């Protein structure tokens, strides 16, 4: 017969409640006690019954993570970190993607019966204030917003300071003597925060050095992929007065821009310096390696999951904003100047 909670409790010489707390990921259990219970679980081959747990606690032990595109390296890394952080607290994670479809985002936020599958949601997609306004925090399951939002004190928010990150990237190019700096990644038709904030940081850095942003050197990007970066950079390089540097709003845009520079018969960074944001693994091994603003994805994941777990325990917690640190990493795409 399959081992039960009582069997584990007897083997570990603890109460059934203690075993239940360990299995449920309850954090207020001493490490010594936790290890004793885990050894007993391993020895007996105990498998928790999720249906029984749901009936007993009203919780499923499942969290939902919503991202725009799972195959974008940043979101893949975020998903991995979220899964690890959730596992340490006894949760499992199901991942959904919106494909940048706002109607899909609305459906996931409204949830209906589907939201009842999850104890809480981590939402790393592009929803605007209007879409979030339809969600009543008091009547929905716990929700944590990641990245693309302005904190409005209704929902917890975990993000980086996009204005400062863009300012740091642009300042790095200025420090290396660049003066005709292009920006790739604005999205004027969208109302979510990241493109607007990164444009603000870009413009602010130039103005602090007495330079006015040149509209002709700014390019939009429908998505933050390599092809978008390639197309935008190719357009910029056809100008009679081409840029001597490009600040790209993501590393993937920057990877496409680097290819465009080489296809134009130019060199990175000797002719055009390039920097991105994200610090994806591909950029560390490209040639030239990519200068970037590195985001502390583990911090974002750990903070978001722990805050969601706390909100599941106490839905009345006031909303808070958590800003993750970032670091500028200079590599070959900006480091060698004539």
């Amino acid at each position: 017969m399959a081992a039960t909670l009582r069997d584990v409790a007897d083997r570990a010489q603890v109460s059934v409640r203690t075993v239940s707390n360990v299995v449920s990921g309850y954090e207020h259990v001493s490490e010594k006690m936790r290890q004793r219970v885990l050894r007993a679980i391993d020895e007996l081959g105990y498998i928790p019954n999720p249906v029984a747990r749901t009936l007993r606690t009203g919780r499923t032990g499942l969290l939902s993570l919503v991202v725009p595109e799972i195959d974008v390296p940043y979101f893949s890394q975020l998903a991995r970190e979220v899964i690890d952080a959730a596992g340490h607290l006894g949760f499992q994670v199901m991942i959904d993607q919106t494909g940048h479809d706002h109607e899909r985002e609305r459906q996931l936020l409204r949830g209906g019966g589907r939201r009842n599958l999850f104890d809480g949601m981590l939402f790393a997609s592009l929803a605007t204030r209007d879409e979030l306004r339809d969600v009543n925090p008091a009547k929905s399951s716990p929700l944590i917003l990641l990245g693309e939002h302005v904190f409005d004190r209704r929902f917890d928010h975990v993000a980086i300071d996009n204005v400062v990150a863009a300012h740091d990237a642009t300042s790095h190019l200025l420090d290396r003597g660049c003066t005709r700096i292009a920006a790739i990644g604005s999205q004027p038709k969208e109302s979510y925060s990241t493109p607007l904030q990164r444009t603000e940081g870009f413009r602010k850095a130039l103005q602090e050095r007495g330079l006015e942003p040149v509209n002709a050197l700014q390019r939009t990007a429908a998505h933050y992929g390599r092809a978008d970066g390639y197309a935008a950079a190719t357009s910029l390089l056809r100008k009679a007065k081409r840029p001597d540097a490009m600040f790209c709003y993501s590393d993937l845009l920057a990877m496409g821009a680097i290819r465009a520079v080489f296809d134009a018969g130019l060199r990175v960074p000797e002719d055009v310096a390039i920097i991105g944001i994200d610090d994806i693994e591909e950029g560390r091994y490209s040639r030239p390696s990519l200068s970037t603003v590195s985001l502390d994805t583990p911090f974002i994941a750990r903070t978001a999951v722990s805050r969601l777990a706390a909100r599941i325990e106490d839905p009345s917690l006031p909303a808070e904003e958590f800003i993750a640190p970032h670091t500028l990493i200079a590599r070959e795409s900006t480091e060698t100047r004539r």
Side-chain angles (χ1 to χ4, degrees):
M1 294 179 62
T4 65
L5 277 178
R6 168 58 64 186
D7 295 331
V8 175
D10 290 344
R11 174 66 66 92
Q13 296 184 325
V14 298
S15 68
V16 171
R17 182 177 182 81
T18 297
V19 176
S20 178
N21 286 340
V22 171
V23 171
S24 300
Y26 185 64
E27 60 183 10
H28 300 298
V29 178
S30 72
E31 186 59 27
K32 182 178 180 180
M33 190 71 71
R34 188 185 308 279
Q35 291 302 321
R36 186 194 300 178
V37 171
L38 292 176
R39 280 196 301 272
I41 287 174
D42 287 341
E43 292 168 1
L44 295 173
Y46 171 71
I47 301 175
N49 185 331
V51 176
R53 178 173 64 179
T54 300
L55 292 173
R56 184 174 66 253
T57 67
R59 298 175 185 168
T60 65
L62 294 176
L63 304 180
S64 172
L65 172 64
V66 178
V67 299
E69 295 174 296
I70 191 61
D71 56 344
V72 170
Y74 171 76
F75 291 114
S76 298
Q77 181 183 354
L78 177 66
R80 182 183 64 197
E81 298 288 354
V82 164
I83 289 169
D84 288 345
H88 286 305
L89 296 181
F91 291 100
Q92 293 181 305
V93 180
M94 294 187 67
I95 303 172
D96 210 333
Q97 65 176 0
T98 65
H100 300 275
D101 184 334
H102 286 285
E103 182 54 38
R104 174 65 175 159
E105 293 175 358
R106 292 187 187 94
Q107 293 172 0
L108 291 171
L109 285 168
R110 293 179 190 135
R114 190 175 186 278
R115 286 286 291 274
N116 295 329
L117 294 172
F118 308 110
D119 295 332
M121 176 182 287
L122 301 164
F123 201 88
S125 204
L126 311 179
T128 65
R129 287 183 179 183
D130 290 340
E131 291 157 355
L132 290 168
R133 194 175 292 121
D134 295 336
V135 182
N136 185 340
K139 296 182 179 180
S140 64
S141 57
L143 173 66
I144 308 291
L145 301 179
L146 303 178
E148 303 283 357
H149 312 275
V150 172
F151 181 52
D152 64 1
R153 302 189 182 281
R154 296 175 65 233
F155 301 99
D156 293 303
H157 184 211
V158 183
I160 67 163
D161 190 328
N162 279 297
V163 175
V164 176
H167 178 280
D168 290 350
T170 308
S171 296
H172 175 70
L173 297 173
L174 291 164
D175 289 343
R176 273 139 189 78
C178 304
T179 57
R180 285 183 56 79
I181 302 177
I184 299 176
S186 64
Q187 295 182 337
K189 293 183 180 180
E190 293 285 6
S191 58
Y192 59 90
S193 305
T194 292
L196 299 175
Q197 292 171 344
R198 292 184 181 176
T199 298
E200 179 184 347
F202 165 72
R203 297 175 68 87
K204 182 178 179 181
L206 291 177
Q207 290 166 349
E208 287 177 354
R209 305 292 182 95
L211 299 172
E212 282 300 318
V214 179
N215 290 334
L217 293 180
Q218 298 178 54
R219 291 291 184 273
T220 62
H223 301 291
Y224 283 2
R226 300 173 188 83
D228 303 88
Y230 184 91
T234 298
S235 170
L236 288 163
L237 294 171
R238 288 172 179 158
K239 299 185 66 64
K241 293 186 67 175
R242 59 172 171 76
D244 60 4
M246 298 180 187
F247 162 50
C248 300
Y249 290 17
S250 79
D251 279 359
L252 288 185
L253 287 172
M255 300 303 296
I258 287 175
R259 180 68 194 195
V261 171
F262 280 108
D263 283 356
L266 301 170
R267 298 165 297 169
V268 176
E270 290 84 357
D271 298 309
V272 184
I274 295 177
I275 191 169
I277 292 183
D278 285 337
D279 191 21
I280 64 174
E281 187 175 25
E282 179 181 344
R284 302 170 203 170
Y285 297 98
S286 65
R287 185 174 183 183
S289 56
L290 179 64
S291 295
T292 188
V293 176
S294 179
L295 312 182
D296 194 337
T297 310
F299 174 93
I300 294 171
R302 289 194 307 269
T303 302
V305 170
S306 62
R307 183 61 178 178
L308 186 56
R311 184 160 292 286
I312 290 168
E313 292 293 330
D314 183 3
S316 67
L317 289 172
E320 291 188 39
E321 183 171 45
F322 305 87
I323 301 299
H326 65 265
T327 306
L328 191 140
I329 299 177
R331 298 193 181 108
E332 293 167 345
S333 67
T334 61
E335 278 301 271
T336 302
R337 301 295 297 164
R338 288 179 298 185

